[in-house]
Amino acid sequence: MRSWRWQFSRMMSLCLRWCRLCAKRGVRPSKPRRKLGELWSYWKLLLNSLYFNSLTNSDTYLDCVFEPIYWIVDNVTRWFGVVFVCLVIALTSSVVVVVYLCLLPVILNTYPLQWIIWHLTYGHWVLMMVLFHYYKATTTSPGHPPQVKSDTPSVTICKKCIVPKPARTHHCSICNTCILKMDHHCPWLNNCVGHFNHRYFFSFCLYMTMGCMYCSVSCKDMFIEAYNAVEVREINRRKNVNFLQSYYQTPPALFSFREKMVHNGVIFIWVLTSSVAVALGGLTLWHAILITRGETSVERHINKKEIRRLKEKGKVFRNPYHYGKINNWKVLFGVEETSHWLTRVLLPSSHVPHEDGLIWECPRALTRRDPMTI
């Protein structure tokens, strides 16, 4: 499809040509209703002549009109992805620093031995899993269809890449390329979530939620103490102002500089981790539901329309990529043996998915004749 600038210039040139013809030949006097009908027919023909086939509809017109806006949004999102990645790194690093400087000394000096072992083991395990999966999610390519001619079966042709698109492949306007089993473009990763990094993305969300919930629950008592200390400090500060105005003397400090930093750090980490746990926990739950159904975020919207359309015809929609609730999780995590739940899910693993993302096998239940099988 040609650019919107060419289409706009073509439309304006045709308008000018029509005005010149009207000025030379003159318009025959006719009824107003007939004039409106002729104008409507001409403008409809004019708009249809800007495109090369008969498959154009109102969605194509809207895409052409809003193409400059799409271009601005895509480029802004692409550049803001770097900012979001830096923000994730900065916030995660700040939480780790506060934990090591403020919380870990309290745990080592006041907690029983069994709780010290629990916090050190669980905390460092979650931190290791978060760092590993975030690094892999940002640096692993989601997967792209072949750009050259091949024997890979495809379902359609991408209108922007002009290459065959295999099943479950969609075009990302931000990355400006087709993505295998595309879920969405994540600005927090500055990368698309696709076939080869979907597991890393979901594992990062899951372990980050677990880590934020762990910090929020562990710091609850410290947060209450720090919040009360800040309130006391604020009340004393107001009293000290009146004291200085009355006696012109400097009162003794109630809290040292280190204690103030600890109070502020505990409040910061509790507010941040609690907020992230709620927001990211909801996102993780939503993606867990999609994985259980054997869908991606893009396919969820497509399948909803298909369910509605086929329901009107009295047919039933069957998701061809739903292998069963447990099997869907095995496909995502690459679990082939029982031991893989430990080595590939609970521990860092860089194994690639079993499928190549180009060919997807349908479950046996869908190979039979059903009311509707897609």
Side-chain angles (χ1 to χ4, degrees):
M1 186 180 293
R2 301 187 180 182
S3 64
W4 66 273
R5 297 182 180 86
W6 182 90
Q7 295 169 359
F8 182 78
S9 61
R10 177 64 176 169
M11 184 176 65
M12 294 302 297
S13 62
L14 291 176
C15 291
L16 292 176
R17 186 179 299 176
W18 179 74
C19 293
R20 291 173 182 173
L21 290 175
C22 292
K24 291 181 179 179
R25 300 179 181 179
V27 182
R28 295 182 180 180
S30 59
K31 297 181 180 180
R33 186 174 181 180
R34 184 180 176 184
K35 287 183 178 181
L36 292 176
E38 291 177 353
L39 287 175
W40 170 251
S41 300
Y42 179 79
W43 281 104
K44 187 177 180 180
L45 178 63
L46 180 65
L47 290 175
N48 289 332
S49 65
L50 299 177
Y51 303 94
F52 60 90
N53 56 37
S54 60
L55 302 177
T56 304
N57 52 22
S58 58
D59 294 336
T60 307
Y61 297 136
L62 291 177
D63 289 340
C64 295
V65 172
F66 287 98
E67 186 175 350
I69 300 177
Y70 295 153
W71 184 87
I72 294 174
V73 172
D74 292 344
N75 284 270
V76 169
T77 305
R78 188 178 306 168
W79 285 106
F80 266 89
V82 180
V83 179
F84 288 155
V85 170
C86 295
L87 184 61
V88 171
I89 296 174
L91 292 178
T92 306
S93 302
S94 64
V95 171
V96 173
V97 170
V98 172
V99 168
Y100 274 96
L101 295 181
C102 301
L103 303 183
L104 192 58
V106 176
I107 292 175
L108 295 177
N109 294 328
T110 60
Y111 281 35
L113 179 60
Q114 62 272 18
W115 283 108
I116 293 177
I117 296 175
W118 156 254
H119 283 290
L120 291 178
T121 304
Y122 182 81
H124 286 90
W125 171 69
V126 171
L127 177 62
M128 175 184 63
M129 298 299 286
V130 167
L131 296 178
F132 172 78
H133 286 103
Y134 187 73
Y135 172 78
K136 296 295 290 186
T138 54
T139 57
T140 302
S141 173
H144 310 285
Q147 301 295 319
V148 297
K149 186 178 180 180
S150 63
D151 297 332
T152 303
S154 59
V155 295
T156 184
I157 300 294
C158 181
K159 295 185 294 185
K160 297 185 178 181
C161 295
I162 317 297
V163 295
K165 289 198 324 184
R168 312 189 79 177
T169 301
H170 302 279
H171 185 87
C172 177
S173 58
I174 299 175
C175 297
N176 196 26
T177 185
C178 288
I179 306 297
L180 297 177
K181 190 194 168 187
M182 178 179 177
D183 189 274
H184 68 287
H185 183 92
C186 182
W188 300 100
L189 302 178
N190 194 28
N191 194 9
C192 266
V193 177
H195 178 62
F196 291 101
N197 65 346
H198 192 189
R199 175 176 67 91
Y200 298 129
F201 165 76
F202 179 79
S203 298
F204 164 72
C205 293
L206 178 62
Y207 287 112
M208 178 63 81
T209 302
M210 293 171 58
C212 290
M213 293 176 62
Y214 163 73
C215 291
S216 178
V217 173
S218 302
C219 299
K220 185 187 70 173
D221 296 335
M222 298 181 185
F223 167 74
I224 296 175
E225 295 178 1
Y227 186 79
N228 293 332
V230 171
E231 284 190 340
V232 171
R233 189 172 65 194
E234 182 64 21
I235 293 174
N236 291 332
R237 187 188 66 82
R238 296 176 182 176
K239 290 182 179 179
N240 291 338
V241 172
N242 298 331
F243 181 84
L244 289 173
Q245 292 177 352
S246 302
Y247 299 97
Y248 300 99
Q249 296 179 0
T250 302
L254 296 178
F255 299 101
S256 63
F257 177 77
R258 177 177 175 78
E259 291 175 337
K260 293 179 181 179
M261 293 297 295
V262 170
H263 294 161
N264 295 333
V266 170
I267 294 174
F268 165 77
I269 191 176
W270 189 87
V271 172
L272 178 62
T273 55
S274 300
S275 304
V276 174
V278 173
L280 190 59
L283 179 65
T284 305
L285 180 61
W286 166 247
H287 279 279
I289 295 174
L290 293 178
I291 293 170
T292 305
R293 295 173 178 174
E295 298 176 327
T296 62
S297 300
V298 177
E299 292 171 352
R300 178 57 181 167
H301 296 287
I302 298 175
N303 292 347
K304 285 180 65 175
K305 294 181 180 178
E306 287 298 312
I307 292 173
R308 193 180 305 112
R309 182 180 67 87
L310 295 176
K311 187 177 181 181
E312 296 176 354
K313 297 181 179 181
K315 297 181 180 180
V316 179
F317 175 79
R318 301 293 181 88
N319 182 11
Y321 312 114
H322 181 49
Y323 303 98
K325 296 180 180 179
I326 303 299
N327 291 331
N328 289 335
W329 288 97
K330 290 182 178 180
V331 170
L332 175 71
F333 289 116
V335 175
E336 301 175 359
E337 301 175 0
T338 305
S339 60
H340 288 169
W341 289 107
L342 173 63
T343 58
R344 295 188 173 185
V345 179
L346 299 180
L347 293 177
S349 176
S350 300
H351 68 278
V352 296
H354 179 69
E355 298 83 3
D356 58 1
L358 300 175
I359 301 176
W360 296 88
E361 297 180 359
C362 293
R364 295 181 180 179
L366 293 181
T367 58
R368 304 171 184 173
R369 288 191 174 182
D370 293 325
M372 185 61 205
T373 300
I374 291 184

